[in-house]
Each structure stands twice: as C-alpha cells, then as structure tokens.
Amino acid sequence: MPKLMIIGAGGVGSVVAQKCAQLPEVFGEIVLASRTESKCKAIAAQLQQTIRTAQIDADIVPQLTELLKKEQPDLVINVALPYQDLTIMDAALVAGVHYLDTANYEPLDTAKFEYRWQWEYQQRFFDARLTALLGSGFDPGATNIFTAYLAKHYFDEIHELDIIDVNGGNHGHPFATNFNPEINIREVSAECRHWENGEFVTTPAMSKRARYTCPDDVGTFNIYRMYHEELESLSKHFPSLRRAQFWMSFSDQYLKHLEVLENVGMTGIEPLKFQGQSIVPIQFLAHLLPDPSTLGSRTEGQTCIGCIVRGIKDGNEKLMYLYSICDHQACYREVKSQAISYTTGVAAMIGAKMILEGKWRKPGVWNVEQCDPDSFMEDMNRYGLPWKIVELDPAFHLDIIPS
C-alpha cells in the first residue's frame, strides 16, 4: 500500500492527517513530521488508525533528505511554511519522492510570493520521473479546479474570472487570523495585483471593495480585491482570460486592528534589535495572537468560496458561478478544526489521492488546473466539500463600493 509523509503539524496538517487516515485503502502508511514532534504526537493520539511521527527541520535539506530516504514514502505533502517549499522540493528530488503543496514559495525576507521559483524545477522533476503538484489547497487549489471544470464543461472560451472567498465565521476574538498569522498578514497587506488585458495591474492594498451577498443564506459581506497566487497560474494556463480578480471578505474590526498594527510597525518583516536580541516584528506578533488551530471550538458561521466565470458558449455570452459552502461547527465536530483549515486540508488529501491513484501522476511540475478536474470534483462531494453550480444573468456585475 502507498506510504505518505506529511510535513507540518499546524491546523491544516492536523486535518490532512485525519482525512488521510480515514482512507487506509489509499494511504496505507502515514508518517507525520514537524519541527515540534509533540504536536505530531498530539494529532496521532486523536486517530483510530496508527500513524508514526518524526521530528524534522524543514529548512535543512540534508536532514529532510535523510528522513525521506529512511522512510521512503511514495509522496510527501508539504503543509509547512511557504518559505520551506524549495527545501522540501530539493529533498524530494534527491530521495525520489513525489511532492504536493498547498501554497507557493515566498522568500522569508521578501513579502512577494510567486510560482516562478517552483516552475523552474519543471525539468528536474521531469528528468527524475517525479510529480510535483503545486497549490492543492482550497484557494489556491479548489478554486483553480473550479475554473478548469467550468472551462471544460460550460464554455468554449473563458474571458473573466472573479474568485470570491468569504469567511462568514465569528471566533469571538478582537483580532485573530484563521491560518498562520505571519503568512496571513503578509498576504493581506501586500499590494494588490489583478490580471487585465494581458498584464498584471498593481493597485494599493484593499483599495477596491464590493458588497456581495452569498447564496444559501450565508450572508452579505464587504469583499476586498487583493492579490492571490492562483491568479498567476490561471492567467498563464487560460490565456483567453481578459480579466482575473481575487476578492476576500474582511470585517471592519479586522481591518482597523491591521491598520493600527501596520502603523506601529508590528507587521514589519525586517529583523530589529530589542534588548540585545534580534526579533522580527511580525513573528513576535504571530506569537502573541491566538493559535489558528485553537479557533475551531469557538468559531461559528460558514465559509462560501467560489468562482464566477464569464465567457462564450456556442457564440453566446454566459455567466456561471461554482461555489462551496462549509460550516465551521460541522468541521469542528468531524476533525476538531475550523473551516479554513478544513477546506485546505481536505483539498490537499484529495490531490494526494489523485497522485497515488495515478490519475494526476505525470513527470514534471504542475498546477492543479493543468490536471483533469472531474475526479477531483467528484471526491470533493464525497469527502466533505460539496459544491453547487448556478447560471447567472450575464447582466450581473459585482456591486462595487465607490472609494
């Protein structure tokens, strides 16, 4: 039976381990590794299936390579930090192991995440006859698959894409992030980029917002245009796109706290000296904020994440909306997690399943939208991420709020 190694024991790593353990016929043996092995052991103790744990520093390629060679997994799922993508890819190449991650590489000292560093591994993975699957989370991940599914089944050509990520949950804290605080704040505070007329257009962070009503009584929210990594790959792999934008919901309370933290320098990524020690402000802030893995029990409400795609079918304009709704408390009842970690972790498990079953196993480095979407979409319904498709009136446009 296939053997799997998961690197990362945060909120997403916990969900991945639990969902993979529910499918022993696919994931026959599981090893969960992290810098802090006690976190792995705590996750393992929750499972009915026995999994083994290991301590690993994902920044050190020789150490990673040694562990992968020792364990000889068929696939490594990387749910560690994005800074560690390249070291894990390097080790996977040396050890001869297939690779999957949920977020693209970002240098530790530069708040700029993009795929080019990982795309440069294409020839090396091809020559090694290994698969590297990039961005198999929810966004990126399921949103890429949604786009590919709509393009395959509902359009002859797609022209506009709006990815809308709404988290209608409430955790009760004055300020907290639903995934790694350092990554979340770097992402949210970065300049916005969207794809339009063959190039990326840069605008100030959070400078464009819209009012959006989600389906199925999830609610109405302010959504803000921001840059997200799937725009880079989707604009490349669907060249007919004339415009592609990513929108995410934020409460006024979240944005006000973030503004204050930015103004006082707490979101800085450059090291500074404090009482004789070197600290990075954003890392210190992350230490002070609630651990996202502890938010599940107190988070109520739903997420609604999906893609609105405009294009042409049989010469006529068409507008389709494909979305998935996830309930925070339902996720907590199943795997002791809030819905943000759940949606990412389940999508990672499904991507791993696609590789191990041979459906998405091909040499090279691939984004998920380059693979056939149908089996992934079937498994989303089967394993906890149900989705719906509706046709919208082509006259529909997002309700933009003037600046």
Side-chain angles (χ1 to χ4, degrees):
M1 296 295 290
K3 183 175 182 178
L4 174 70
M5 179 177 289
I6 303 165
I7 298 179
V12 175
S14 174
V15 175
V16 174
Q18 292 182 71
K19 296 299 285 190
C20 288
Q22 292 172 11
L23 295 175
E25 68 277 14
V26 178
F27 307 99
E29 188 176 351
I30 300 171
V31 180
L32 179 60
S34 172
R35 189 190 306 268
T36 308
E37 191 177 359
S38 60
K39 291 183 178 181
C40 302
K41 291 184 180 296
I43 294 168
Q46 302 175 38
L47 306 179
Q48 292 184 342
Q49 179 185 347
T50 299
I51 70 171
R52 293 188 297 108
T53 65
Q55 193 279 330
I56 189 65
D57 186 338
D59 291 320
I60 304 175
V61 174
Q63 189 180 125
L64 282 164
T65 304
E66 182 181 0
L67 179 63
L68 289 172
K69 285 185 173 181
K70 174 186 173 184
E71 295 291 347
Q72 296 185 320
D74 297 279
L75 170 69
V76 58
I77 296 180
N78 168 19
V79 283
L81 294 173
Y83 319 135
Q84 298 162 327
D85 286 1
L86 301 188
T87 57
I88 298 175
M89 290 180 78
D90 286 333
L93 278 168
V94 176
V97 176
H98 299 296
Y99 170 90
L100 177 150
D101 65 34
T102 62
N104 68 357
Y105 175 70
E106 179 178 354
L108 182 60
D109 57 355
T110 306
K112 184 178 180 62
F113 49 97
E114 56 186 80
Y115 277 116
R116 67 174 177 86
W117 288 287
Q118 292 178 277
W119 285 341
E120 290 172 356
Y121 281 68
Q122 168 67 27
Q123 192 62 47
R124 294 169 64 188
F125 272 85
F126 181 83
D127 291 343
R129 312 305 293 170
L130 294 172
T131 298
L133 186 66
L134 308 183
S136 187
F138 205 95
D139 46 340
T143 51
N144 304 58
I145 293 294
F146 287 178
T147 305
Y149 188 83
L150 289 171
K152 177 180 178 180
H153 294 286
Y154 290 88
F155 294 94
D156 296 323
E157 193 172 86
I158 62 173
H159 293 162
E160 296 180 7
L161 166 66
D162 286 287
I163 300 171
I164 301 174
D165 180 337
V166 168
N167 177 16
N170 181 8
H171 47 58
H173 287 291
F175 184 77
T177 63
N178 292 292
F179 59 95
N180 182 283
E182 183 179 353
I183 303 303
N184 176 256
I185 292 171
R186 284 169 63 126
E187 179 181 278
V188 170
S189 58
E191 283 186 322
C192 174
R193 292 195 301 151
H194 74 279
W195 182 258
E196 190 160 7
N197 296 326
E199 64 181 0
F200 277 104
V201 178
T202 301
T203 51
M206 302 295 185
S207 60
K208 191 167 188 176
R209 64 175 174 156
R211 192 73 174 159
Y212 185 70
T213 299
C214 297
D216 303 339
D217 300 319
V218 173
T220 300
F221 302 85
N222 286 336
I223 57 173
Y224 294 79
R225 191 173 68 181
M226 57 183 287
Y227 179 67
H228 221 243
E229 60 224 67
E230 58 262 54
L231 297 182
E232 182 184 8
S233 66
L234 288 168
S235 60
K236 175 181 179 180
H237 297 135
F238 292 95
S240 64
L241 278 172
R242 299 170 184 171
R243 187 178 69 194
Q245 305 177 109
F246 183 95
W247 305 81
M248 185 175 284
S249 68
F250 297 99
S251 68
D252 292 341
Q253 178 172 281
Y254 178 96
L255 293 177
K256 178 54 66 176
H257 277 80
L258 182 61
E259 180 184 10
V260 172
L261 291 168
E262 288 179 324
N263 287 343
V264 299
M266 285 300 295
T267 62
I269 65 173
E270 296 295 330
L272 54 83
K273 289 290 185 180
F274 176 73
Q275 295 185 350
Q277 296 188 21
S278 178
I279 65 167
V280 177
I282 196 171
Q283 293 179 357
F284 179 68
L285 174 61
H287 180 74
L288 296 176
L289 293 175
D291 184 338
S293 67
T294 68
L295 299 177
S297 62
R298 58 187 294 153
T299 304
E300 298 182 347
Q302 296 173 302
T303 64
C304 178
I305 309 174
C307 297
I308 298 177
V309 175
R310 186 184 302 272
I312 299 296
K313 180 66 175 179
D314 298 328
N316 298 312
E317 184 180 20
K318 191 170 189 176
L319 188 65
M320 302 298 298
Y321 180 33
L322 197 168
Y323 65 94
S324 176
I325 291 173
C326 202
D327 184 88
H328 284 286
Q329 282 300 300
C331 297
Y332 185 75
R333 286 190 294 271
E334 182 187 351
V335 294
K336 297 293 186 288
S337 164
Q338 33 85 350
I340 305 302
S341 295
Y342 185 89
T343 53
T344 302
V346 175
M349 178 277 287
I350 296 172
K353 181 174 179 284
M354 296 294 102
I355 293 174
L356 293 179
E357 291 178 339
K359 295 173 182 175
W360 285 5
R361 187 183 300 180
K362 51 184 178 178
V365 176
W366 311 100
N367 293 90
V368 292
E369 69 268 20
Q370 294 176 273
C371 304
D372 186 85
D374 292 358
S375 295
F376 190 100
M377 294 290 285
E378 291 171 6
D379 277 356
M380 285 186 68
N381 277 327
R382 187 176 294 127
Y383 298 115
L385 298 177
W387 48 271
K388 295 181 180 180
I389 297 179
V390 294
E391 184 167 2
L392 303 178
D393 186 332
F396 170 84
H397 293 277
L398 289 175
D399 182 16
I400 303 300
I401 302 173
S403 301

